[in-house]
Amino acid sequence: MALLKEVRDYYGDLMLYINGDFKRSETDEYMDVMNPALDKAIARVPIATPEEVDEAVEAAVDAFERWRDVPVPNRVQYLFRMKEVLEANKEDIARIIVQNHGKHIDEARGEVRRAIENIETAIGVAYTLYKGEFMEQVAPLIDEYMVREPLGVFAIISPFNFPVMVPFWFLPYALAVGATIVVKPSEITPLPFYWVNKLIHDVGLPPGVVNVVYGRGEVGERLIKHPDVQGVAFVGSTRVAKKIYELTGRLGKRSLLQASAKNYAVVMPDADMDRAAANLISSFYGNTGQRCLANAVLVPVGDAYDKIVPKFIQLARQIRLGYGLDEDVDMTPMVSRSSMERVLKYIEIGLDEGAKLSLDGRNPKVKEYPNGYFVAPTVFEDVSIDMKIAKEEIFGPVASIIKADNLDEAIDMVNSTRYGNASSIFTSSGKAARVFRRGVKVGNVGINVGIAAPMAFFPFGGMKDSFFGVVHGQISSVEFFTDTKIVIERWW
Ligand code: NAD
């Protein structure tokens, strides 16, 4: 199915997907879905009713026993087909991501690519990790083995910033192991997954294996609280993750919660400064700073300050703003007006805290898109570790620069925040890189890499307030959707 051949003006009302059918919601509440470059509504998303959420879960419950009975090699065929339809439509999906999220087309293409890689990895998982373990003769005439079984129905709740990739950190693995799911995409960027849902429909999965509902937090909560939902895989803010962690704890359910970040990039005096600067620019300002792996605080060590900071600011100043469908632009708008306002508020906070605003990205003029939610690259120098702009997640194109005297002090700074998602070091010393890797309390470490994004066949890291739970997303989510049964067997 071809999704779209050109940019469309209006996509209409999104439909729920329950028991294999697209269904108009009975709700009387809809939200506008916006194109952030144009400040224009491009669709409406329903806020599903509690009854509709329950209906989606019940469809997944009905489907579960049948789906788990489908032999693994047959189950995997659906994933092969899913990969094919996503491959065939990847450019269209990327263009829809740009229209709703606002990110650059190349970033949207990368996002779709990583979603597909997760399908590929899940296919491998079905044949390898899922097959269990066997030990013969653990005692005379006794064998012992472990089988892995799907637990049932799971909720998948995703954030605005990777509307296609994040659901695929979980969806293909759940399906590979025989679980069934209800997905709730972000209410801010629901459009890309809606179109992916249409493609998933074409794959012909048995009805009820995948269900999709839309809405805000209360829809997510209703889903989690449903007695037949075994657990929730969530990606979003720490504020919401903590709430869900407490809720699932009280309900005795599983949760896998990947949350907010404040990532520090350390530059040593021996780094290759030209390469480091280019890499840092893409880390700080790619996706307009709206990546949980984006670096947000730059920590030059000793002499590195004078070598890296002028280059960094010079490159940041050259960044061209515009619409993400234009291949020639470098940076695109914030996802929403309220996100833009939050970033502007943080710039005020930085000024109030006494930091030096070396590059002011407020109110840029973007000629053809006067109504877009643009904030240009912003740089603060003279930041200290106790300032809010050094500690709190801004999630926008704002860099804070703090000087460190040596590597130990830089590592202490990395570890001073409540978050532990990612951190990078730029150096030509293997020893410094090793000390850094061992010293930082973060889940994803970049060595001369600004965005330390794990491939699908590694778990997605995260520590401290950036992660709650035990197993992580991508490949290791297999453990989340399953439990093990240990069998001890004797035949006289
Ligand atoms: P958010 O927490 O506002 O929303 C995330 C999702 O949770 C949305 O679908 C939302 O509707 C839903 N939700 C809100 N309240 C809920 C509740 N009480 N119960 C159940 N569901 C609820 O996050 P966001 O603004 O969409 O995303 C940005 C955040 O996500 C940032 O903090 C970013 O760092 C984080 N993030 C983290 C990772 C990671 O892997 N660690 C990846 C991407 C984004």
Side-chain angles (χ1 to χ4, degrees):
M1 182 181 76
L3 287 187
L4 81 170
K5 287 284 163 253
E6 57 197 34
V7 178
R8 290 177 37 173
D9 275 347
Y10 193 75
Y11 288 90
D13 291 349
L14 274 51
M15 309 245 245
L16 309 177
Y17 186 64
I18 299 177
N19 205 26
D21 283 327
F22 288 97
K23 173 182 184 294
R24 171 168 287 279
S25 173
E26 301 286 321
T27 185
D28 45 20
E29 198 186 351
Y30 278 82
M31 277 173 65
D32 280 340
V33 178
M34 303 298 290
N35 179 323
L38 311 178
D39 183 34
K40 184 175 149 199
I42 50 172
R44 290 199 317 161
V45 62
I47 308 298
T49 65
E51 295 74 25
E52 287 165 342
V53 174
D54 294 352
E55 203 189 319
V57 175
E58 281 146 27
V61 171
D62 280 352
F64 174 62
E65 288 302 334
R66 285 194 300 279
W67 180 237
R68 110 173 243 213
D69 264 358
V70 174
V72 174
N74 299 32
R75 237 189 262 148
V76 159
Q77 298 313 312
Y78 294 100
L79 291 176
F80 277 117
R81 254 177 271 155
M82 201 179 285
K83 170 181 155 64
E84 266 169 37
V85 292
L86 260 60
E87 290 280 9
N89 292 279
K90 58 182 187 283
E91 184 64 14
D92 284 350
I93 301 168
R95 292 175 79 83
I96 294 173
I97 293 174
V98 175
Q99 289 169 65
N100 185 184
H101 177 284
K103 67 178 68 176
H104 191 277
I105 184 69
D106 276 345
E107 286 165 350
R109 288 175 184 137
E111 167 169 2
V112 180
R113 171 57 41 211
R114 188 52 60 89
I116 293 171
E117 285 167 8
N118 272 283
I119 302 175
E120 292 164 355
T121 303
I123 291 169
V125 155
Y127 289 124
T128 52
L129 292 187
Y130 184 58
K131 74 181 185 313
E133 286 169 17
F134 183 91
M135 185 179 273
E136 193 178 71
Q137 201 75 353
V138 293
L141 294 181
I142 295 184
D143 303 332
E144 182 165 337
Y145 55 94
M146 183 182 91
V147 288
R148 205 169 259 291
E149 295 187 347
L151 276 172
V153 178
F154 282 86
I156 296 173
I157 298 181
S158 58
F160 79 78
N161 64 331
F162 286 96
V164 171
M165 177 184 76
V166 168
F168 279 84
W169 283 352
F170 309 108
L171 179 152
Y173 304 98
L175 268 44
V177 299
T180 57
I181 55 173
V182 182
V183 183
K184 194 205 81 64
S186 160
E187 65 276 26
I188 301 167
T189 54
L191 193 58
F193 193 80
Y194 179 65
W195 286 90
V196 167
N197 188 182
K198 293 200 173 247
L199 296 171
I200 291 175
H201 178 72
D202 286 354
V203 165
L205 281 160
V209 171
V210 174
N211 305 276
V212 185
V213 295
Y214 297 96
R216 290 183 290 255
E218 64 275 13
V219 171
E221 258 186 64
R222 175 88 185 185
L223 194 50
I224 296 166
K225 284 182 180 159
H226 192 292
D228 288 327
V229 167
Q230 303 297 317
V232 53
F234 164 94
V235 180
S237 64
T238 295
R239 183 183 64 78
V240 176
K242 277 191 149 170
K243 222 172 144 182
I244 296 178
Y245 201 39
E246 283 168 18
L247 175 65
T248 49
R250 270 204 311 281
L251 298 173
K253 298 189 179 198
R254 289 191 172 192
S255 57
L256 182 174
L257 306 152
Q258 298 185 195
S260 308
K262 185 76 176 182
N263 306 321
Y264 282 49
V266 174
V267 181
M268 299 298 287
D270 61 6
D272 177 331
M273 295 297 167
D274 287 334
R275 288 187 168 131
N279 210 262
L280 286 163
I281 285 291
S282 112
S283 170
F284 278 73
Y285 300 119
N287 212 355
T288 321
Q290 300 167 110
R291 286 194 284 218
C292 69
L293 295 173
N295 278 301
V297 180
L298 179 60
V299 184
V301 173
D303 292 351
Y305 198 100
D306 293 337
K307 298 185 199 164
I308 194 74
V309 172
K311 271 188 209 298
F312 181 84
I313 295 178
Q314 188 200 357
L315 290 177
R317 205 186 291 283
Q318 289 167 5
I319 285 177
R320 289 157 305 176
L321 299 184
Y323 189 21
L325 287 178
D326 178 353
E327 309 255 357
D328 294 335
V329 306
D330 301 312
M331 207 177 88
T332 57
M334 298 294 301
V335 72
S336 66
R337 182 174 295 284
S338 67
S339 289
M340 175 181 74
E341 284 164 358
R342 190 194 58 244
V343 173
L344 295 177
K345 197 181 88 197
Y346 268 107
I347 297 175
E348 292 299 327
I349 290 173
L351 287 167
D352 289 348
E353 288 179 314
K356 177 178 144 205
L357 187 56
S358 305
L359 188 61
D360 185 355
R362 290 174 293 179
N363 308 315
K365 297 281 162 285
V366 184
K367 220 169 69 210
E368 287 163 56
Y369 305 100
N371 302 322
Y373 315 139
F374 291 98
V375 182
T378 297
V379 179
F380 276 112
E381 287 183 86
D382 298 344
V383 177
S384 62
I385 197 76
D386 53 334
M387 289 182 187
K388 282 189 177 163
I389 57 167
K391 289 199 295 203
E392 296 180 9
E393 183 181 56
I394 300 174
F395 223 52
V398 179
S400 298
I401 306 184
I402 314 181
K403 187 172 180 170
D405 288 337
N406 52 53
L407 179 57
D408 287 343
E409 193 191 352
I411 291 173
D412 286 345
M413 286 180 187
V414 173
N415 292 338
S416 68
T417 81
R418 58 189 285 222
Y419 301 113
N421 214 39
S423 188
S424 300
I425 186 169
F426 289 83
T427 181
S428 54
S429 155
K431 182 181 170 197
R434 184 172 186 277
V435 169
F436 179 82
R437 170 186 38 93
R438 284 170 57 84
V440 289
K441 295 188 183 78
V442 302
N444 306 290
V445 178
I447 296 173
N448 295 318
V449 169
I451 292 287
M455 297 290 286
F457 39 84
F458 284 98
F460 196 99
M463 292 180 179
K464 291 159 71 181
D465 271 2
S466 296
F467 176 76
F468 303 88
V470 179
V471 290
H472 294 251
Q474 300 203 133
I475 191 165
S476 44
S477 65
V478 166
E479 290 177 46
F480 184 69
F481 297 119
T482 57
D483 207 344
T484 51
K485 210 176 251 175
I486 315 300
V487 185
I488 303 176
E489 190 171 285
R490 170 158 54 198
W491 294 100
W492 285 285

